[in-house]
Amino acid sequence: MKQDFDKDEIIGHVATLLEEIPTSLEIVKDDSKKKERFRYLAKHMVEKAINKEALLVSDNGRGIAIFFKMDGKSDGFWAELVSDLKLAVNVTGLRKGLKALKSQKFVRQQRPTEGEFLYCWFWGILPDARGNSSDKTPYKMKDEMYRISKSLQLPIYAETRVRKVSIAYRRYGFEMVKEWEHPSGDIMYFLKYVPPALNN
């Protein structure tokens, strides 16, 4: 994974990718400042990931993941987002924030309530690197996540409201834990990966 990335460039990439994700589209206030709101959210996410040593950037800079080590007592990111007044003002608006908080409570309850685990909160591949067999960006990122999971002997949890993403996760070795009808009408897929033992 890339170590010497340009933070502003990564923030720009994350802002672009957020515009494809149902949860962020739902939570970001839709007004004339929408682009700036996505940028503000992306900046907050990237800086939080750097502080928590949770940012993974592919060697070509076209794949970005936020991969937290968590425990059952950790707050979910969206819960923290809405509780931070500055973020609520700059990203969600209070009404959207409170609405999102309700569904995020259920989402958070699907993760372990005790013990440590890894949580793939965000994983995006820029369009020009998707399905590109020459550099294999998604596969290299998946391999790095699995390496971390195996070395720490911790499972990985993830969720998505995009069916084709859930299929990709399962192709990579995740198991489906639960399907839930989200208040939006989408199906949300909850997935888990259990690493092999260290001697395997």
Side-chain angles (χ1 to χ4, degrees), residues 127-192:
D128 62 2
R130 292 173 194 165
N132 185 339
S133 57
S134 62
D135 63 30
K136 294 185 165 39
T137 299
Y139 301 99
K140 289 177 182 175
M141 295 197 76
K142 177 262 297 179
D143 288 346
E144 176 65 7
M145 290 182 204
Y146 283 12
R147 184 195 67 75
I148 294 168
S149 174
K150 184 175 181 179
S151 69
L152 296 175
Q153 286 294 285
L154 294 176
I156 305 171
Y157 287 80
E159 69 264 344
T160 181
R161 282 162 58 187
V162 181
R163 185 171 177 272
K164 67 180 180 182
V165 173
S166 78
I167 291 168
Y169 271 119
R170 280 178 282 173
R171 196 165 54 234
Y172 290 161
F174 278 72
E175 61 177 288
M176 182 76 70
V177 176
K178 187 184 185 79
E179 292 184 16
W180 173 57
E181 188 172 336
H182 188 272
S184 65
D186 294 344
I187 299 297
M188 181 168 262
Y189 306 93
F190 295 88
L191 303 115
K192 177 183 179 181

Side-chain angles (χ1 to χ4, degrees), residues 27 77-85 87-88 92 97-98 100-101:
I27 205 168
F77 178 81
W78 293 115
E80 176 199 286
L81 177 70
V82 176
S83 68
D84 186 321
L85 188 59
L87 285 164
T92 68
L98 290 169
L101 196 55

Side-chain angles (χ1 to χ4, degrees), residues 31-198:
D31 61 9
S32 61
K33 296 181 179 177
K34 193 172 183 180
K35 287 277 185 195
E36 293 98 310
R37 294 183 191 283
F38 274 112
R39 175 87 188 185
Y40 192 99
L41 175 56
K43 182 174 185 288
H44 178 81
M45 289 167 55
V46 170
E47 289 179 347
K48 178 180 173 69
I50 290 170
N51 289 339
K52 299 271 190 182
E53 297 182 353
L55 185 66
L56 298 179
V57 179
S58 65
D59 291 335
N60 62 5
R62 314 308 284 167
I64 300 149
I66 297 178
F67 194 57
F68 290 115
K69 183 179 177 185
M70 300 180 74
D71 61 44
K73 300 177 185 66
S74 304
D75 282 335
F77 178 81
W78 293 115
E80 176 199 286
L81 177 70
V82 176
S83 68
D84 186 321
L85 188 59
K86 195 193 301 184
L87 285 164
V89 168
N90 287 288
V91 176
T92 68
L94 293 174
R95 189 172 359 142
K96 274 198 163 194
L98 290 169
K99 184 180 175 186
L101 196 55
K102 288 181 183 175
S103 58
Q104 284 306 309
K105 183 180 178 184
F106 178 86
V107 171
R108 197 165 67 251
Q109 288 170 345
Q110 306 315 302
R111 298 195 286 271
T113 55
E114 55 185 40
E116 291 185 323
F117 60 95
L118 297 165
Y119 177 48
C120 186
W121 183 78
F122 174 88
W123 185 10
I125 309 292
L126 290 168
D128 62 2
R130 292 173 194 165
N132 185 339
S133 57
S134 62
D135 63 30
K136 294 185 165 39
T137 299
Y139 301 99
K140 289 177 182 175
M141 295 197 76
K142 177 262 297 179
D143 288 346
E144 176 65 7
M145 290 182 204
Y146 283 12
R147 184 195 67 75
I148 294 168
S149 174
K150 184 175 181 179
S151 69
L152 296 175
Q153 286 294 285
L154 294 176
I156 305 171
Y157 287 80
E159 69 264 344
T160 181
R161 282 162 58 187
V162 181
R163 185 171 177 272
K164 67 180 180 182
V165 173
S166 78
I167 291 168
Y169 271 119
R170 280 178 282 173
R171 196 165 54 234
Y172 290 161
F174 278 72
E175 61 177 288
M176 182 76 70
V177 176
K178 187 184 185 79
E179 292 184 16
W180 173 57
E181 188 172 336
H182 188 272
S184 65
D186 294 344
I187 299 297
M188 181 168 262
Y189 306 93
F190 295 88
L191 303 115
K192 177 183 179 181
Y193 170 79
V194 179
L198 281 172

